[in-house]
Amino acid sequence: MKKLLTGLFLLFTVLSVHSQSDPDSLRYAQLDSLTPEQLLEYYINEPEPYPFPMGPVTVGDSVYTVLNNLTVPTETVDIEFLQQDEFKVSPEESYDTPDYQFKPKIALGMGRMAFHGDLYQKHWQSPMSGRAGFDLAISQRLTRYLQLNFAVLFGKLGANEWLNNRQENFQSEIRAGGLNLLYDFGNFIPDQYRVRPYVSLGVMGFEFLSKTDLKDKNGNTYYYWSDGSIKSLPQHAPNAQNAVNLVRDYHYETDIRELNKDGFGKYAERAWAFPLGIGFIAKVSDRIDVKMNFQYYLTTTDYIDGITNKGMGSRMGNKSRDNFSYTSVSLQYDLITKQRPLWYGDTAKFKALWLADNADDDRDGVPDIADDCLGTELGAPVNGRGCPLDDDKDGIPNYRDDELDTPLGVAVNDRGVGQSDEYWADWRERYLNDSTSKDVETEIVGNWYASEKKKIKEEDGEKNIYTVELMRYNGAIPSDELAFLLSVGDINSTTLDDGTTVVYTTGSYEKLSTAVKRRDGFRSEGHEAAGVSQVKAKGKSILQMPDNELELLLSQEIEDLLRMDIGGGGTNPNDANSNSPKLLTQEDLNKVVSENNNNTTAASGTDIVYRVQLGAFKNRISSSVFSKNAGVVELTTSDNIYKYVTKGFRTISEAAAMRADLVVEGYSDAFITAYRGGERITLREAGASVHQDYQEDINETKTFSSINKNLVSFKVQLGTNKKPGQQVQEMDEQVKGLEGVEKQQTASGSTRYTAGSFKTWDEAETYRQELKNQGFNGAFVIAMFKNEIITKVEAMELTK
């Protein structure tokens, strides 16, 4: 996926340029050396350039679009607008609708089977007095609301009747198998509801083996007397006085068909049944459901109890066939985890984001979440990625290209017409001078940025970088200070060499005066602990600087500015054509300091900062686990929970764009939070449009993980890494007969050999033991996340 996105990004960048050799491309090369904070400041403060063709995307400033034309500034989501009819998505069209390839579920249940036939006065048996039954089913979903089940049923039916003129009993073993179709109202009930009803119907074939209890264990036949007793002789036998009392043993020893009391002969002991069912399915987890079921089986036989309407005398039954019911509870297990909708988990009920993902603002037929070219003109033909067609690949889409067959590589104007070199020379002159005419007077004034810069002091080849230190902690952070840190838009966290102390800083400045100005801003808001520190060891060391030392360095910086050469030439310092150096005046210095202070990006206490929450764990997780583009900040709450959030954003649209990128990278449960004035606030308080039923949980101490657990795997490494040459050749020969072996080149040039891929550590450990028995004595288990090694503790935390 990363390679695909990178390829699309590079292709779109090439198509956005008017010529294959753009002379202005060198202008952007210097931006590569800027830090993220400096680059953001550059984008915000860059003046609007002369308008030139930008292709289908013309939102935002030109340089930003050239560098990252997949990112287009958007406004806060307007839910009422997205809920219009043209933006509503039916359940059948929902993007979280699963593809219904073979993804079976297996269910095991137990319950009671009750007989409904010729016995009993009401010909009906309560389910509570029925016999035990067991069922096993494998199901496959056909549509959003239909599910096909293959089921088998095992159990017993039985009845014991004692009427004035008839005493009958039987027990029948039932074995059945067949299909049934289940309808669960999925086209009416949304997926997030955890309990839903269903109805079902089906067809099953079954066999029955019916027996009756006529004798006790000693072989004495039961005779039922009118006083309610069971005797060994008939009540009206001549020797009835010799009868002894008997007790039924409920051992059904006599086969009813073989007994043949009614002369039916060898009738078939198998038939068809048509089960009609109702019940409820309750979702316990992503994979496990509880199913409460009642089924009534309409059969094609009347021989289950041995009594039919063709019987004689007291053995004559009713005209109905023998039926039965099955009341059960079963556990259903999903063998393949379904993809979870975007609003599950900690973003539950946040339907605003889901609606935004399915919107199509430019109405080009490609939803915004998959649209690489937002804002396409209405009616313009587009490709599958939502970008206007450009047949001649000149950067101008067909719908506004006046020359559709421009030769490849020829520079064109904003209407797609090839132009001469003179035209582009004139265009470049006007663009660089930000004017509509090249007849422009340029006046050079005392400008520090245009002067010859003095070489920055360096220590061991490293520039002096200053930052504002807000606090440092060795352990938990109080909840009020935690909210304050998160409300600072450009907060950074750095873990020192001791492995436990975390320093929280904001900003990165080459000029000490800028850092001091930012520090004073925090102190004026009541944060007296704010100070200026120096960044060393490429950001791994933060050295605190006392205020008296700062005053000396600040004085030296001002003196250096006053001695700065801002233009040369001549012998007369007042002659503009002279070659002598011109020194910076106090007026110039005040202007430089004022401009420098105005360019600081500190947010005021009333500004809202948006962040994307990535996870909160009981154990520390390496920041390398998270996206490198998110600017991850680590904080420890008062409950010793390690919390990980992205860098701050000024608008919710920027935060939503970052969240969308994170979802694509596998952080599917990441969600947006807002902070203002040192406190966590709800998105509704921040002014975002959210669904009226959405209730946001602003608890900062709750554990959660946004990471897709499927990205974590456990493998068995087959010994230490092997050096190129003979070691690799010997290892290749050793693993030749082993299945699932992977070779991975490490950064040091050695080769890592692994075998197997498992979801749990125990499974990998079992496999390691097997490999050890095969001669791989040095094998050990490793945990991996996105093909990068992580610790066992981190892997266990991510898979909870």
Side-chain angles (χ1 to χ4, degrees):
M1 179 59 73
K2 283 187 175 180
K3 293 182 179 178
L4 177 61
L5 292 176
T6 302
L8 291 175
F9 174 83
L10 293 176
L11 176 62
F12 198 82
T13 302
V14 171
L15 294 179
S16 298
V17 183
H18 297 286
S19 172
Q20 292 182 349
S21 58
D22 183 4
D24 286 339
S25 61
L26 294 176
R27 179 185 177 197
Y28 306 130
Q30 59 181 328
L31 299 179
D32 294 339
S33 62
L34 299 181
T35 65
E37 291 78 12
Q38 293 169 330
L39 193 61
L40 176 61
E41 184 176 359
Y42 178 87
Y43 290 156
I44 294 174
N45 297 322
E46 183 194 27
E48 185 66 20
Y50 176 80
F52 62 96
M54 295 297 296
V57 180
T58 57
V59 182
D61 75 59
S62 59
V63 176
Y64 184 83
T65 308
V66 170
L67 293 179
N68 190 358
N69 43 46
L70 295 181
T71 303
V72 180
T74 57
E75 296 180 351
T76 302
V77 176
D78 185 353
I79 297 305
E80 293 182 359
F81 173 72
L82 292 176
Q83 288 178 337
Q84 298 177 25
D85 291 339
E86 59 266 34
F87 289 97
K88 290 184 178 178
V89 181
S90 65
E92 291 79 14
E93 298 171 335
S94 175
Y95 287 101
D96 67 304
T97 302
D99 57 342
Y100 301 111
Q101 57 187 0
F102 185 63
K103 295 182 178 180
K105 297 181 180 180
I106 187 170
L108 179 64
M110 62 180 300
R112 289 190 172 273
M113 303 174 64
F115 178 70
H116 299 170
D118 299 283
L119 301 187
Y120 297 122
Q121 189 172 2
K122 294 183 178 180
H123 310 293
W124 181 85
Q125 185 182 48
S126 169
M128 299 302 296
S129 59
R131 304 294 200 274
F134 302 90
D135 67 282
L136 177 66
I138 297 178
S139 62
Q140 168 65 32
R141 184 163 290 279
L142 303 178
T143 69
R144 192 177 187 85
Y145 48 83
L146 288 179
Q147 179 175 300
L148 182 64
N149 299 330
F150 172 75
V152 292
L153 175 65
F154 304 93
K156 294 181 179 181
L157 291 174
N160 293 281
E161 179 189 65
W162 192 327
L163 301 178
N164 292 333
N165 61 337
R166 186 171 69 185
Q167 295 81 27
E168 296 289 343
N169 63 75
F170 85 97
Q171 181 170 277
S172 181
E173 293 186 6
I174 303 294
R175 292 182 289 272
L179 301 173
N180 67 75
L181 195 62
L182 184 147
Y183 170 69
D184 63 0
F185 302 90
N187 53 337
F188 297 109
I189 303 176
D191 288 343
Q192 66 264 32
Y193 288 93
R194 305 188 72 85
V195 178
R196 65 174 62 200
Y198 71 86
V199 295
S200 66
L201 58 88
V203 58
M204 302 184 77
F206 75 99
E207 63 177 9
F208 56 94
L209 179 60
S210 300
K211 294 185 178 182
T212 183
D213 181 16
L214 299 181
K215 299 178 181 181
D216 66 7
K217 62 182 180 180
N218 297 318
N220 299 313
T221 302
Y222 302 131
Y223 293 97
Y224 297 87
W225 286 27
S226 58
D227 61 358
S229 62
I230 303 176
K231 303 289 187 178
S232 60
L233 295 173
Q235 184 174 358
H236 300 291
N239 58 342
Q241 69 275 9
N242 297 326
V244 297
N245 291 322
L246 299 179
V247 177
R248 279 191 58 192
D249 58 3
Y250 293 92
H251 176 69
Y252 298 87
E253 76 288 333
T254 306
D255 189 292
I256 292 179
R257 186 177 69 168
E258 297 297 330
L259 187 63
N260 199 19
K261 279 190 176 183
D262 296 313
F264 298 145
K266 299 287 187 179
Y267 54 81
E269 291 185 309
R270 55 187 175 274
W272 292 99
F274 303 93
L276 304 176
I278 60 172
F280 291 88
I281 298 178
K283 179 171 289 296
V284 177
S285 68
D286 288 340
R287 289 198 171 203
I288 299 177
D289 302 331
V290 174
K291 191 175 179 182
M292 291 160 282
N293 175 63
F294 176 82
Q295 288 181 300
Y296 192 81
Y297 289 75
L298 300 172
T299 76
T300 60
T301 183
D302 196 21
Y303 292 112
I304 295 179
D305 57 1
I307 305 295
T308 73
N309 62 341
K310 298 178 182 179
M312 303 300 293
S314 64
R315 292 183 56 79
M316 179 179 292
N318 58 19
K319 295 182 179 181
S320 300
R321 300 185 185 276
D322 292 340
N323 302 319
F324 61 92
S325 66
Y326 179 52
T327 306
S328 65
V329 176
S330 61
L331 285 179
Q332 182 170 266
Y333 182 75
D334 190 346
L335 297 178
I336 301 176
T337 303
K338 296 191 302 181
Q339 182 179 0
R340 295 169 61 183
L342 293 178
W343 56 80
Y344 272 39
D346 287 286
T347 53
K349 301 182 181 179
F350 199 3
K351 297 180 182 177
L353 294 179
W354 180 81
L355 288 171
D357 287 344
N358 290 277
D360 182 14
D361 288 341
D362 53 11
R363 294 178 173 85
D364 61 358
V366 179
D368 291 348
I369 194 172
D371 198 331
D372 289 348
C373 301
L374 298 172
T376 304
E377 185 167 322
L378 187 63
V382 298
N383 59 18
R385 302 192 309 274
C387 293
L389 300 179
D390 181 17
D391 293 338
D392 55 6
K393 295 180 173 55
D394 60 357
I396 306 300
N398 291 350
Y399 73 89
R400 58 185 182 90
D401 195 334
D402 293 341
E403 187 179 77
L404 294 176
D405 56 351
T406 305
L408 187 65
V410 174
V412 298
N413 64 8
D414 59 354
R415 298 302 303 177
V417 179
Q419 299 296 319
S420 64
D421 292 340
E422 290 77 11
Y423 171 85
W424 289 112
D426 178 71
W427 175 88
R428 182 176 184 275
E429 185 71 22
R430 286 185 284 117
Y431 174 73
L432 293 179
N433 287 281
D434 195 20
S435 171
T436 58
S437 173
K438 60 182 179 180
D439 299 327
V440 184
E441 281 190 22
T442 304
E443 180 182 2
I444 305 297
V445 297
N447 185 346
W448 183 85
Y449 291 102
S451 66
E452 181 183 353
K453 297 184 180 180
K454 185 176 181 180
K455 188 175 180 180
I456 299 175
K457 296 179 182 179
E458 297 184 2
E459 181 178 327
D460 298 329
E462 185 178 358
K463 293 181 179 179
N464 288 329
I465 300 298
Y466 303 99
T467 185
V468 178
E469 180 177 328
L470 298 177
M471 57 188 68
R472 59 177 63 195
Y473 277 99
N474 187 348
I477 305 174
S479 57
D480 56 338
E481 295 189 5
L482 177 68
F484 159 66
L485 291 175
L486 291 174
S487 66
V488 179
D490 54 347
I491 193 71
N492 296 302
S493 63
T494 303
T495 303
L496 301 184
D497 291 338
D498 61 9
T500 58
T501 304
V502 181
V503 182
Y504 296 95
T505 61
T506 177
S508 179
Y509 311 99
E510 293 182 4
K511 299 180 183 60
L512 179 61
S513 58
T514 308
V516 171
K517 178 69 176 179
R518 186 79 186 274
R519 178 206 65 182
D520 293 344
F522 281 107
R523 288 185 176 181
S524 65
E525 294 175 359
H527 305 289
E528 297 296 335
V532 175
S533 296
Q534 194 170 18
V535 181
K536 292 290 185 180
K538 297 183 180 180
K540 297 181 180 180
S541 177
I542 309 294
L543 302 179
Q544 293 175 314
M545 304 179 66
D547 289 352
N548 56 354
E549 181 181 344
L550 290 177
E551 291 179 3
L552 293 175
L553 291 175
L554 192 58
S555 300
Q556 182 63 41
E557 183 177 283
I558 294 175
E559 291 178 6
D560 291 343
L561 283 174
L562 290 172
R563 287 195 299 268
M564 187 169 295
D565 178 9
I566 62 169
T571 58
N572 184 358
N574 297 320
D575 184 359
N577 296 320
S578 68
N579 293 321
S580 62
K582 180 180 178 181
L583 299 180
L584 198 67
T585 66
Q586 184 64 42
E587 181 180 355
D588 295 330
L589 177 61
N590 293 337
K591 182 183 297 185
V592 170
V593 174
S594 176
E595 291 176 356
N596 186 36
N597 291 337
N598 290 335
N599 286 333
T600 58
T601 59
S604 68
T606 59
D607 288 342
I608 297 175
V609 175
Y610 298 92
R611 297 182 184 275
V612 182
Q613 300 274 357
L614 297 173
F617 308 94
K618 292 184 178 179
N619 294 297
R620 171 172 281 168
I621 302 295
S622 172
S623 58
S624 62
V625 169
F626 301 101
S627 173
K628 297 180 180 179
N629 299 323
V632 177
V633 178
E634 175 191 305
L635 305 107
T636 307
T637 69
S638 57
D639 294 335
N640 288 320
I641 301 296
Y642 293 92
K643 192 178 189 69
Y644 297 88
V645 299
T646 67
K647 61 185 177 183
F649 299 94
R650 293 176 179 269
T651 65
I652 193 172
S653 59
E654 294 175 325
M658 172 58 72
R659 180 188 176 276
D661 292 342
L662 290 169
V663 170
V664 171
E665 293 182 28
Y667 307 92
S668 54
D669 286 342
F671 61 97
I672 299 173
T673 55
Y675 300 86
R676 179 176 60 197
E679 295 182 353
R680 167 86 179 271
I681 61 174
T682 65
L683 293 176
R684 188 175 285 106
E685 290 174 325
S689 298
V690 297
H691 193 274
Q692 59 182 1
D693 295 334
Y694 173 63
Q695 297 295 328
E696 183 176 359
D697 184 2
I698 61 174
N699 181 11
E700 294 281 12
T701 60
K702 182 174 62 175
T703 60
F704 80 97
S705 174
S706 66
I707 296 174
N708 185 346
K709 296 179 182 178
N710 292 329
L711 298 177
V712 180
S713 63
F714 300 93
K715 299 183 178 182
V716 179
Q717 181 167 333
L718 305 176
T720 58
N721 296 340
K722 307 303 178 184
K723 295 181 179 179
Q726 184 177 356
Q727 288 187 357
V728 171
Q729 294 174 3
E730 292 175 353
M731 194 64 181
D732 286 342
E733 185 67 25
Q734 188 178 357
V735 301
K736 184 178 295 184
L738 198 61
E739 295 183 359
V741 175
E742 295 181 1
K743 295 172 61 176
Q744 185 180 17
Q745 201 77 14
T746 67
S748 62
S750 60
T751 302
R752 178 188 298 119
Y753 289 80
T754 61
S757 181
F758 305 93
K759 293 300 181 183
T760 66
W761 182 277
D762 293 338
E763 292 175 349
E765 178 61 26
T766 301
Y767 187 52
R768 186 195 69 81
Q769 292 289 348
E770 296 177 7
L771 293 175
K772 182 179 180 181
N773 296 334
Q774 298 179 32
F776 295 94
N777 295 324
F780 56 93
V781 178
I782 61 174
M784 305 197 75
F785 177 77
K786 291 184 176 181
N787 293 324
E788 296 292 336
I789 294 180
I790 59 176
T791 67
K792 177 182 178 181
V793 174
E794 290 173 338
M796 294 300 186
E797 193 71 36
L798 295 178
T799 54
K800 284 184 180 178

